[in-house]
Amino acid sequence: MLIDKNPLQLLVDCNCVGYEVSVPMSTFYNLPASGETVTLLTHFVVREDAQQLFGFLTDGERQTFRQLVRISGVG
């Protein structure tokens, strides 16, 4: 369930666990209202200094993101 949404950042409840999810504006603009069910495709990034969860509404958005983060100096 979508608990809260602000540009580029969501709070999603998944079985009583809240997840902060970063999203692109293309996903943000197409989200349902807070309190409604949302399904996101995710990409989890683990780095030495951070763990980040990214969410996307379409597989195309997620695939584009994955191609971009492979480029040195991006992300």
Side-chain angles (χ1 to χ4, degrees), residues 13-54:
D13 178 311
C14 183
N15 295 321
C16 298
V17 176
Y19 292 93
E20 287 185 355
V21 183
S22 298
V23 296
M25 291 305 292
S26 56
T27 290
F28 181 79
Y29 287 133
N30 292 299
L31 290 170
S34 293
E36 293 187 24
T37 300
V38 65
T39 300
L40 296 170
L41 301 170
T42 59
H43 181 87
F44 187 53
V45 176
V46 178
R47 295 191 177 126
E48 187 175 304
D49 61 340
Q51 296 181 16
Q52 297 174 295
L53 184 61
F54 296 90

